[in-house]
Amino acid sequence: MLVRVKPGAQLSGAEQEFVECLRSYPSAALAMIDLQVGDRQIDAVIWTPRGLTVLEVKGFRRRQSGILSIAADGPWKISDADADLDEPSGSPSDRLEHGIATVKTTLERALLDPGHVCGAVVLIPFRGAVVRPSRTNLRPGLDVVVGNVADATELRIYLEGFSAGPRKWTADRVIGDCTALGLADLAPSRADLVAAGFEQVAQETPSVIARPPKPRVEPTPGVATKRHSYAGWTVVALAVIGMIAVIGMIANSLVHDSSHPKPQETSTPSPTPTPPPYHPTTCWPFQQSC
């Protein structure tokens, strides 16, 4: 890892320990320490081929060991006691968020794509002291890790895995970011970045290639066996027998109909009805129904 410290920077003991940790890592990365971006002081910005992260480094004023409890608004605690951190004024997570926003805004104003800027609070305990956070995620994109020269595993895991995207940060892109942040005099050369593991050209995101349809394989008939031959001849014989039976039934029906002809029906005229004889009826005056 390439590590660049601003000339004349006055690093605390925790920050010096942090720089020693970074220089011992073989990762492909560039670390800028003690930056002045705009009106804000930022402890560290680290680029890897997959992204960049802003770090807030905090040491302890005395030896403390135990489980670190992180509060959103209150002080951080270690085993029910307040964590005695360097520069205890303000919340480390709030300072980290302000640093992330400053870096992202500065790059956007320079018409550069900052990508997803992550951040972490790095706690540097005294050597021999064991501090373990109860949770490592403060908020989405914000983490807390513990590391020193004697126990730097968590810090290394974070730096090598905080961004799982494609390798988009090339040597030229890192130099462009450093120039926008006012670090052109401190930035390494393009050859140094390539030697450290940054690529010259960004990798293209692989596109999904449609698979060609599988060729349709026509079924090929197998070799006929005796069993198949017998089955085929049996089907043919049954079909012939069925046809003969149907023809016989039709012929029998025709012969039966011709030997018993139906008699022709003769029509007889129906008699014409005659009206009944007329009989006059005598009606009397005022007689009803007459």
Side-chain angles (χ1 to χ4, degrees):
M1 178 182 295
L2 295 176
V3 181
R4 295 291 186 269
V5 183
K6 183 177 65 176
Q10 297 180 355
L11 302 181
S12 64
E15 291 173 341
Q16 293 177 3
E17 184 109 356
F18 174 69
V19 170
E20 292 183 24
C21 289
L22 297 182
R23 286 175 173 164
S24 65
Y25 296 155
S27 307
L30 169 65
M32 292 289 195
I33 309 299
D34 194 18
L35 314 179
Q36 184 69 34
V37 180
D39 58 349
R40 183 162 297 278
Q41 185 73 22
I42 298 176
D43 292 340
V45 177
I46 296 181
W47 286 265
T48 70
R50 301 183 185 276
L52 65 92
T53 181
V54 178
L55 301 180
E56 179 76 14
V57 181
K58 290 295 181 183
F60 291 80
R61 294 191 293 184
R62 62 185 177 89
R63 183 181 297 274
Q64 286 184 289
S65 297
I67 303 299
L68 174 67
S69 299
I70 302 170
D73 300 327
W76 294 6
K77 294 182 177 294
I78 296 180
S79 299
D80 297 332
D82 291 345
D84 196 1
L85 301 175
D86 293 338
E87 302 177 3
S89 59
S91 172
S93 58
D94 292 341
R95 289 173 56 89
L96 175 62
E97 285 188 305
H98 291 318
I100 292 174
T102 301
V103 171
K104 187 173 183 178
T105 302
T106 303
L107 294 176
E108 289 175 345
R109 288 177 178 175
L111 302 180
L112 297 176
D113 180 16
H116 178 63
V117 183
C118 302
V121 176
V122 182
L123 301 179
I124 310 295
F126 281 75
R127 295 189 182 184
V130 179
V131 177
R132 291 290 179 267
S134 58
R135 60 188 179 95
T136 59
N137 184 261
L138 300 174
R139 282 183 285 277
L142 300 181
D143 298 292
V144 56
V145 294
V146 178
N148 54 24
V149 173
D151 186 8
T153 303
E154 292 182 11
L155 178 59
R156 179 175 177 177
I157 291 174
Y158 170 79
L159 294 178
E160 293 179 351
F162 71 87
S163 179
R167 297 170 64 92
K168 293 183 178 180
W169 269 259
T170 62
D172 292 335
R173 183 172 180 177
V174 173
I175 293 175
D177 288 353
C178 292
T179 302
L181 296 175
L183 307 171
D185 297 337
L186 193 60
S189 64
R190 185 173 186 272
D192 292 338
L193 291 172
V194 172
F198 289 89
E199 298 178 359
Q200 301 183 22
V201 180
Q203 292 183 351
E204 296 182 358
T205 304
S207 58
V208 179
I209 302 176
R211 295 183 177 180
K214 294 183 178 180
R216 183 178 179 181
V217 179
E218 297 293 338
T220 56
V223 180
T225 60
K226 291 184 178 180
R227 183 178 180 181
H228 293 165
S229 301
Y230 294 156
W233 283 113
T234 302
V235 172
V236 172
L238 292 175
V240 172
I241 294 172
M243 292 176 62
I244 294 174
V246 172
I247 293 172
M249 293 175 63
I250 294 173
N252 185 25
S253 176
L254 293 175
V255 171
H256 181 73
D257 291 342
S258 61
S259 59
H260 299 281
K262 294 182 179 180
Q264 295 183 354
E265 294 181 356
T266 57
S267 59
T268 57
S270 58
T272 302
T274 57
Y278 174 73
H279 298 282
T281 303
T282 303
C283 295
W284 302 96
F286 303 106
Q287 183 179 355
Q288 294 183 353
S289 65
C290 180

